[in-house]
Amino acid sequence: MEVNNMKVDNGVNVDALLGAREALTQAPEGARFNWRATCNWVGGTHSNSQVRGFYGLGGEQSHRTEFSFDSDHPEIFASEDHGATPVEYVLVGLAGCLTAGVAAVAQNREIQLRSVKATLEGSMDIQGILGIDSDVRNGFDDVKVVFEIDADATKEEIEGLVAQSQKRSAVYDIITNPTNVHVAVK
Amino acid sequence: MEVNNMKVDNGVNVDALLGAREALTQAPEGARFNWRATCNWVGGTHSNSQVRGFYGLGGEQSHRTEFSFDSDHPEIFASEDHGATPVEYVLVGLAGCLTAGVAAVAQNREIQLRSVKATLEGSMDIQGILGIDSDVRNGFDDVKVVFEIDADATKEEIEGLVAQSQKRSAVYDIITNPTNVHVAVK
């Protein structure tokens, strides 16, 4: 088993993650994180958000570089399409979360991945955001994610990876369950 | 009032949006949209998502260009930090959605915006995603958004813009209310 374990390399440092779990079990206050973004309006429906600093493990942390994201509406909404729509960013977050989870779980289960592709679709009736019908919600009415995974594993084992990734996914939880959002004006 | 209306320009084509609302009220099947993303695993917790095509107004649509997003975990999680974390993408989506809404509502209410800045923070106890404590949820336990808006308006009017933006925001709805997510393996 140890030989097999050494051969499997999905690029995820599972030992470090298990070490972090052990350390945070002893010192759970380190597990309090704050993730941040700042957003500046550019014009029209176009805005630019920056992501860099966050809080965790008891102190201020930082990404290696600042990440910058343009968000806009498409031309069919009479906008200039300078970036992905806000709801597409949510799909990107879900895709990244579930895919990272698949890789981490595969490493832990000693399954070598060769490729992982996820296709996401969020359906929405825009009668909600346009205020045409107050019975229609603003957000997605349904999200579908389809994984195509090539790995040294049976179909059942691959389905097990995806199921475990879902179970521990932050963004899956954020979309499927309600979260308080407080909006204030300074 | 008409003169005032001509002077206010936040770059949002409200007439087009009101026209779309009118057209979709007559033909609500055009309001069915599907937003998409495809995601490819790069290695470790790093993935890359692409956004381009979507469905709406009864047919296939496309952004002017493809948008590409790297997602990863930071170095303190023993990852290589090639991109924003998945949960930060959710904050970016929320920021972009509320900010575009503020601009559109301001245009409709004939309020000239000079600057709009939003600061977002999502708190999370990572004991959830690490599987330390099953009573701790995986996602955000709370999200805070603070707007700083410079506009030709009273504080009360500015608060009204933000409130109306929230009321019509797709991403605000996605985060605050539950949505079905179906995950399958092809």
Side-chain angles (χ1 to χ4, degrees):
Chain A
M1 284 304 282
E2 204 175 313
V3 174
N4 181 40
N5 188 19
M6 302 214 17
K7 276 187 195 160
V8 171
D9 184 7
N10 295 317
V12 179
N13 189 337
V14 165
D15 287 344
L17 291 176
L18 295 177
R21 178 157 74 180
E22 179 60 27
L24 292 173
T25 301
Q26 305 305 319
E29 66 281 5
R32 299 285 338 157
F33 272 64
N34 278 301
W35 302 100
R36 302 183 192 129
T38 56
C39 178
N40 289 285
W41 176 58
V42 179
T45 52
H46 179 201
S47 65
N48 177 266
S49 290
Q50 303 91 46
V51 167
R52 176 138 206 192
F54 57 95
Y55 178 89
L57 305 184
E60 283 299 315
Q61 308 289 346
S62 180
H63 287 288
R64 289 191 303 165
T65 55
E66 180 173 279
F67 302 114
S68 169
F69 304 103
D70 287 293
S71 179
D72 202 356
H73 291 177
E75 290 178 322
I76 59 163
F77 292 166
S79 285
E80 294 181 2
D81 198 16
H82 291 290
T85 63
V87 295
E88 288 165 331
Y89 276 107
V90 175
L91 295 180
V92 167
L94 179 61
C97 202
L98 291 174
T99 301
V102 165
V105 176
Q107 186 66 40
N108 198 34
R109 295 185 180 178
E110 301 177 9
I111 293 171
Q112 181 64 51
L113 298 175
R114 279 185 292 270
S115 72
V116 181
K117 183 182 177 182
T119 306
L120 290 87
E121 197 165 76
S123 62
M124 181 186 291
D125 184 337
I126 67 165
Q127 290 186 91
I129 55 174
L130 286 172
I132 293 172
D133 184 344
S134 61
D135 289 340
V136 175
R137 67 177 292 189
N138 295 319
F140 293 135
D141 44 55
D142 184 69
V143 177
K144 286 189 169 54
V145 183
V146 178
F147 273 100
E148 293 169 74
I149 298 176
D150 182 18
D152 286 330
T154 65
K155 177 87 191 277
E156 206 167 48
E157 287 170 323
I158 289 172
E159 288 174 341
L161 297 180
V162 172
Q164 181 63 20
S165 172
Q166 253 178 282
K167 196 179 160 190
R168 288 282 167 77
S169 166
V171 179
Y172 179 85
D173 178 24
I174 290 167
I175 298 174
T176 56
N177 295 300
T179 302
N180 286 324
V181 178
H182 305 271
V183 184
V185 178
K186 197 176 178 179
Chain B
M1 283 304 283
E2 205 175 313
V3 174
N4 181 40
N5 189 19
M6 307 237 341
K7 277 188 193 158
V8 171
D9 184 6
N10 296 317
V12 180
N13 190 336
V14 166
D15 288 343
L17 292 176
L18 295 176
R21 179 158 74 179
E22 180 58 28
L24 292 174
T25 302
Q26 306 304 321
E29 66 282 5
R32 300 284 339 159
F33 272 64
N34 278 301
W35 302 99
R36 302 180 192 133
T38 56
C39 178
N40 289 286
W41 177 59
V42 180
T45 53
H46 178 202
S47 66
N48 178 267
S49 289
Q50 302 92 45
V51 168
R52 178 140 205 188
F54 58 95
Y55 177 90
L57 305 183
E60 283 298 314
Q61 307 289 345
S62 180
H63 287 288
R64 289 191 302 164
T65 55
E66 179 173 279
F67 303 114
S68 170
F69 303 103
D70 287 293
S71 179
D72 202 355
H73 290 176
E75 290 178 321
I76 60 163
F77 292 165
S79 284
E80 293 181 2
D81 199 17
H82 290 290
T85 63
V87 295
E88 287 166 332
Y89 276 106
V90 174
L91 295 179
V92 167
L94 179 61
C97 203
L98 291 173
T99 301
V102 165
V105 176
Q107 186 66 39
N108 199 35
R109 296 186 180 177
E110 300 177 11
I111 293 171
Q112 182 64 51
L113 298 175
R114 280 185 292 270
S115 71
V116 180
K117 183 182 177 183
T119 306
L120 291 87
E121 195 164 77
S123 62
M124 180 187 291
D125 185 336
I126 67 165
Q127 290 186 92
I129 55 174
L130 287 173
I132 294 172
D133 184 345
S134 60
D135 288 340
V136 175
R137 67 177 291 188
N138 295 320
F140 293 135
D141 43 56
D142 185 69
V143 177
K144 285 189 170 53
V145 184
V146 178
F147 273 101
E148 293 169 74
I149 298 176
D150 182 19
D152 286 331
T154 64
K155 177 87 190 278
E156 207 167 46
E157 288 171 323
I158 289 172
E159 288 173 341
L161 296 180
V162 172
Q164 181 63 21
S165 172
Q166 252 178 282
K167 196 179 159 192
R168 288 281 166 77
S169 166
V171 179
Y172 180 85
D173 178 23
I174 291 168
I175 298 175
T176 56
N177 294 302
T179 303
N180 286 324
V181 178
H182 305 269
V183 184
V185 178
K186 196 174 178 179

